[in-house]
Every structure is written in C-alpha cells, then in structure tokens.
Amino acid sequence: MLRGRGAASAGLGLVIPVALLLLWHVLSTNGTFTPAQLPEPTAVLSAGVELIQRGELWIHVAISTQRVFWGFVIGAGLGLALGAWIGLSRWAALLAGPTVGALRAVPSLAWVPLLLLWIGIGEDSKVTLVAIGAFFPVYTTVSAALQHVDRQWVEAARSFGITGLRLFATVQLPAVLPSVVSGLRLALAQGWLFLVAAELIGASMGLGFLLTDSQDNGRTDRLLLAILLLAILGKLTDALLGLFERWTRRRWGAIPST
C-alpha cells in the first residue's frame, strides 16, 4: 500500500516536468523562438553527449558538487555553532545578533571582489562563498528555534543534574532538530545558488563556468544543459536531506519545541 502511494506521488511529481518538456519542444519547433534563443530538447541532449564523449561533463559535475559539499559542511557547521550560541545566550543575542542580521542582507556577488582580495583566485575563495550562502539559513533556523524550546523540558533535565553541553545534546538539540534539518535544506539550496557566483571567480571548470562560458560563446544548448544539471543536482541532494529529515521527525518528534 505504501509502495503504491509512493509510486503515485512520484508519478504526480513528474506531471509538470513532462508538461514543461512538451511545451519546450513545441516552442522550439513552431517558430516562436529561433534555435539560438531556445534549442530543441534533442539539441541540448546532443550537447550533453558531446561533452561526455570529450570527457568534460562529469568533471564539471564533480567539481561543482565538491565545492557545494565542502562549502555546505563548513557553512552549516559554523551556522549551527553560532546559532546555538546566540539562541542559548541572551547576551550573545544582544551582542552579535544585529551584526549577523546585517551581514545576512549582503548579496552574494558583493562578496566576490572582497574574497578575491583576501583569498585570491582558487578553490578556497569558491568554497568560502558557498559556505557564506549555507551559513545564514542554518544560523537563522537554529538561533530562532532554540529560543522557543519548552522551558519545562529544560528545567526537568536540570533537576536530574543535566546541564551544559549534555543538556544541549540530549534535550535542546533534539527538540529543535526537525527545524534545524529544514534549515539545512534551505542552506543546501542556497549553496547551489551561491555556486554560480563562486564559479565566476576565475573558474575554469564547473557548471557555473559551463553556464557563463556557453553564454559568451553563444552555445545556448550548453547553457540550458548547465541549468538542467544544476536543477537535477539540487533536487537530488535535497532529496537526500529529506530522507534525513523524515528520520529525525520519527526519532525526536515527541520532544516539543514550544
């Protein structure tokens, strides 16, 4: 029964992508758009096959995925640490909260020239920019959720002598973990968004580079291919975090946060 429901849900989720693919085919073949503006789906597929045969496509995918992975790990880790500090400490919230909130409003491209000056052209600057994008959703979610943990649970734990890091690990973190995982999913999506800006920093490989290089050379087929790959990779990685989120809800769903 559950398998049938899962298959039905997956099939329903394919309705819009298939409809968009059909619309794309119609608009690219009926004269609405020229091949330079909107190549046919088969042309984009051919561009992908060409890059595979040249041994380039999987390198672009692997390099971009690696940058997002390390940027996400670093940014999410720092966001969890700082968010926990500010969420658990009233003085920390007063001291650092306004500054972090102001930095959150800085657009991704505004960091590019500063990172070039500080770190230079290389992998470190690209991973750092992705980490900046992943940091803020986790920080915001953690700091806000910890401020609404049920005080009765905290006081009950303290009455049993549970304090400090043990209190955080056994009561407070489990109470907010489902919300935190939702923040991680937002952070991962933000990491993919920041990737394109990151690969503007002197990159010679990666999907962001493929996108901008295709634009410069008038290869709309490769440009659309890069967009599709970014969408697919973003969805696949989000689905992995979605599995983890469902596990946390089953494991710690009984601990209230308010």
Side-chain angles (χ1 to χ4, degrees):
M1 184 68 175
L2 292 176
R3 289 183 180 179
R5 289 181 179 178
S9 299
L12 190 61
L14 290 174
V15 170
I16 292 180
V18 171
L20 289 175
L21 182 62
L22 292 174
L23 179 62
W24 175 6
H25 174 74
V26 171
L27 293 177
S28 62
T29 56
N30 67 359
T32 302
F33 294 98
T34 66
Q37 293 174 318
L38 185 66
E40 295 181 30
T42 53
V44 175
L45 180 61
S46 298
V49 172
E50 178 188 354
L51 288 174
I52 291 174
Q53 292 173 343
R54 293 169 56 179
E56 296 180 10
L57 184 62
W58 302 126
I59 296 177
H60 288 302
V61 171
I63 289 177
S64 290
T65 303
Q66 177 179 282
R67 288 166 178 163
V68 170
F69 173 77
W70 287 114
F72 171 74
V73 169
I74 295 170
L78 292 174
L80 177 61
L82 187 60
W85 179 51
I86 290 179
L88 295 173
S89 171
R90 178 174 175 271
W91 290 107
L94 294 174
L95 177 66
T99 301
V100 179
L103 292 175
R104 184 175 55 187
V106 178
S108 59
L109 288 176
W111 294 103
V112 172
L114 191 61
L115 292 176
L116 287 174
L117 288 173
W118 285 357
I119 305 176
I121 298 176
E123 286 301 300
D124 290 345
S125 58
K126 299 173 182 61
V127 172
T128 300
L129 187 57
V130 175
I132 291 172
F135 168 83
F136 289 105
V138 178
Y139 157 78
T140 302
T141 303
V142 172
S143 60
L146 283 172
Q147 293 172 5
H148 296 88
V149 174
D150 194 326
R151 298 300 302 174
Q152 293 181 355
W153 283 84
V154 175
E155 294 302 326
R158 285 175 176 164
S159 68
F160 286 99
I162 301 175
T163 59
L165 288 176
R166 189 181 171 199
L167 175 65
F168 175 71
T170 59
V171 176
Q172 292 165 313
L173 182 59
V176 301
L177 197 53
S179 298
V180 171
V181 177
S182 297
L184 290 175
R185 296 181 71 171
L186 292 174
L188 184 59
Q190 191 85 332
W192 283 107
L193 291 175
F194 272 56
L195 173 71
V196 176
E199 291 181 339
L200 293 175
I201 310 176
S204 58
M205 296 297 292
L207 293 175
F209 166 77
L210 178 63
L211 194 153
T212 54
D213 182 68
S214 300
Q215 179 186 20
D216 294 339
N217 291 293
R219 292 296 304 268
T220 315
D221 51 351
R222 291 186 180 179
L223 188 151
L224 288 172
L225 175 66
I227 293 174
L228 288 173
L229 288 173
L230 286 168
I232 292 170
L233 288 171
K235 178 57 182 175
L236 288 176
T237 52
D238 178 73
L240 292 176
L241 276 180
L243 294 175
F244 180 59
E245 180 180 22
R246 286 194 288 273
W247 177 78
T248 60
R249 291 188 183 279
R250 290 195 302 269
R251 176 64 177 80
W252 286 290
I255 300 179
S257 60
T258 57

